[in-house]
Amino acid sequence: MKRKLIAAIGIAGMMVSIAACGGDGEDDGKKAGADGYAGETLTVWVMDGSSPDDWQADLAEEFEAKTKAKVKFEIQKWNGIQQKLTTALSEENPPDVFEIGNTQTPAYAKTGGLADLSDLKSEIGTDWSESLNKSAVFDGKQYAAPWFVVNRVVIYNKKIWADAGIKDTPETRDEFYDALRTIGEKTDAEPIYLPGQNWYHFVGLAIGEGAELVKKDGDTYVSNLDDPKIAAATETYKKFQALSKAPKDKDEATPQQGEIFAKGKTGAIIGMGWEGATAITTNPAIEKDLGYFTIPGATADKPEGVFLGGSNLAVAAGSKKQDLAKEFLRIALSDKYEGALAKANGVIPNKESLQGNLQGNAAAEAAAPAASGGDTTPLIPEWAAVENDPNPIKTYLTAVLKGKSPAEAAEQVEGEFNKRLAQQQ
């Protein structure tokens, strides 16, 4: 999985208001006639790296055969996409269909930029995975369709584990910890490289505890970092991070942990599947020793909580080709194309029944079991500003790892956290 996909995890900046254009053109709501939509061209924005060229070509061919219309894919870069999409949705001719990060969806829905797809959900989405579809719903309405997600796994060095005498991958959190401690006792390797600010993994631990990062105080969202469930997730993070020599004030990209793992002196990292590919690119010799497994949870029957980062497909509220856009989604989200995308890119599809397409992709196979119990950061427009640097959750984690109690660290960042949640959307 390419690293650029991870930009779909969250909103980098604040949304500005979208003055969505109403569908007042002559094509608005038009049904296909005998010649279908001949002469029409549907504009679709997809992000760089999200869909292979042959996937697009096959889909375009089937779309044209069914509708007599053309589809024009326009590839977008993640850098600057928030402002570009915001501007496009306020203009007279926005993209008809577009890929949108799953945690971005509520902000665009709130500002009126997305068409209501509730009818499409009842038609083709009755078996969409709830954990994926959650991000596509705002105020009880379906404003997008779940496309795919990715999540973190354990990437481990098989040779180091064998040298420590460990024969099987762990099935519980305690077994995982014991295995890492054994590596520290019986080998010269660092058991796990876990930097102090790998905050998306921390979010996963919080999800596993059933915790919420924010809570309502009247009509306002405020920090919930003082919740005992958050503290429990923090203590788990602290316990594992104590086995690592990684800095307490850096994240997994500073430096890239895949490059650290590539040196062959680390028992495990917790990361995305593409980070294993980074390790192989850095040191091809590591490939024979590289393995993946699902992050173990408290009990063997339930994997650890994970953050689900990925993309939805949406229709612009201002598109004059609403019906044609829905025809596109019926094809793009069909089992045929969802399955093909999962197989090609190793991403988790929007239906559990399609996960068989991940067979043979070790990283994706390890990620899939946790997807149904995964979740995202809070699906509220107010969350946008929280992730801006310096991220208060990163500050919180570092404070705990350097000696503060979870309660003290939560109090330290509460003012900044709440200030960001109160910013106007």
Side-chain angles (χ1 to χ4, degrees), residues 66 117-126 326-327 330:
K66 180 178 180 182
L117 301 180
S118 298
D119 57 342
L120 195 68
K121 166 66 166 64
S122 62
E123 178 187 343
I124 67 171
T126 56
K326 290 178 181 179
E327 287 292 341
R330 288 183 182 95

Side-chain angles (χ1 to χ4, degrees), residues 209 211 224-235 406:
E209 294 288 346
N224 196 38
L225 291 182
D226 60 356
D227 187 333
K229 293 180 180 179
I230 295 287
T234 305
E235 292 296 345

Side-chain angles (χ1 to χ4, degrees), residues 16-352:
V16 297
S17 180
I18 298 173
C21 299
D24 57 356
E26 62 181 8
D27 295 327
D28 193 31
K30 183 180 72 175
K31 300 293 183 181
D35 294 328
Y37 296 89
E40 297 281 356
T41 298
L42 193 77
T43 300
V44 178
W45 282 13
V46 290
M47 304 310 298
D48 188 16
S50 291
S51 55
D53 290 345
D54 56 355
W55 184 91
Q56 294 178 26
D58 291 345
L59 176 52
E61 182 179 355
E62 185 164 333
F63 176 77
E64 182 173 353
K66 180 178 180 182
T67 67
K68 306 299 188 294
K70 302 286 187 182
V71 59
K72 181 183 180 183
F73 287 100
E74 295 184 354
I75 309 303
Q76 306 298 317
K77 300 290 185 182
W78 283 112
N79 187 29
I81 189 59
Q82 322 297 343
Q83 185 59 50
K84 183 175 182 179
L85 182 57
T86 298
T87 300
L89 292 178
S90 69
E91 294 176 342
E92 185 176 352
N93 293 302
D96 301 296
V97 178
F98 52 92
E99 177 183 352
I100 183 173
N102 57 352
T103 60
Q104 297 171 359
T105 306
Y108 285 99
K110 180 180 180 180
T111 50
L114 311 184
D116 185 351
L117 301 180
S118 298
D119 57 342
L120 195 68
K121 166 66 166 64
S122 62
E123 178 187 343
I124 67 171
T126 56
D127 54 351
W128 287 340
S129 299
E130 178 58 31
S131 60
L132 275 70
N133 189 55
K134 184 178 178 181
S135 69
V137 177
F138 182 73
D139 277 353
K141 293 183 179 180
Q142 190 82 31
Y143 281 107
W147 197 18
F148 64 83
V149 296
V150 291
N151 58 263
R152 284 159 179 76
V153 298
V154 180
I155 304 170
Y156 75 109
N157 187 310
K158 296 177 181 179
K159 182 179 185 304
I160 290 174
W161 284 54
D163 289 345
I166 304 168
K167 296 180 180 179
D168 300 313
T169 55
E171 296 184 358
T172 68
R173 188 187 298 157
D174 287 343
E175 289 178 5
F176 185 25
Y177 180 79
D178 289 342
L180 295 176
R181 189 175 56 184
T182 299
I183 289 170
E185 293 170 351
K186 295 187 176 182
T187 76
D188 294 330
E190 180 179 15
I192 185 170
Y193 182 85
L194 181 60
Q197 296 185 347
N198 189 341
W199 79 283
Y200 279 119
H201 174 51
F202 168 71
V203 169
L205 295 176
I207 290 167
E209 294 288 346
E212 298 287 347
L213 296 173
V214 299
K215 61 185 176 183
K216 264 298 190 66
D217 181 12
D219 294 330
T220 306
Y221 285 101
V222 297
S223 168
N224 196 38
L225 291 182
D226 60 356
D227 187 333
K229 293 180 180 179
I230 295 287
T234 305
E235 292 296 345
T236 297
Y237 193 100
K238 182 179 179 180
K239 179 179 178 180
F240 279 83
Q241 207 280 329
L243 298 174
S244 175
K245 298 176 183 177
K248 294 177 172 58
D249 59 354
K250 303 293 183 184
D251 63 21
E252 69 280 9
T254 317
Q256 287 290 341
Q257 63 179 5
E259 295 176 358
I260 298 294
F261 185 83
K263 297 176 181 179
K265 298 179 181 179
T266 303
I269 60 174
I270 294 174
M272 309 299 292
W274 60 261
E275 293 179 270
T278 296
I280 294 169
T281 299
T282 304
N283 176 20
I286 199 76
E287 184 171 10
K288 67 181 185 305
D289 298 323
L290 190 150
Y292 305 86
F293 61 86
T294 308
I295 305 173
T299 58
D301 61 333
K302 185 179 180 181
E304 187 58 85
V306 291
F307 172 80
L308 300 175
S311 291
N312 297 326
L313 290 176
V315 175
S319 169
K320 300 179 179 65
K321 303 168 185 174
Q322 300 279 328
D323 290 331
L324 189 58
K326 290 178 181 179
E327 287 292 341
F328 174 86
L329 291 180
R330 288 183 182 95
I331 300 172
L333 298 168
S334 67
D335 288 1
K336 175 182 178 180
Y337 287 97
E338 270 289 300
L341 186 70
K343 187 175 184 64
N345 279 4
V347 294
I348 310 300
N350 63 15
K351 298 179 182 180
E352 290 184 37

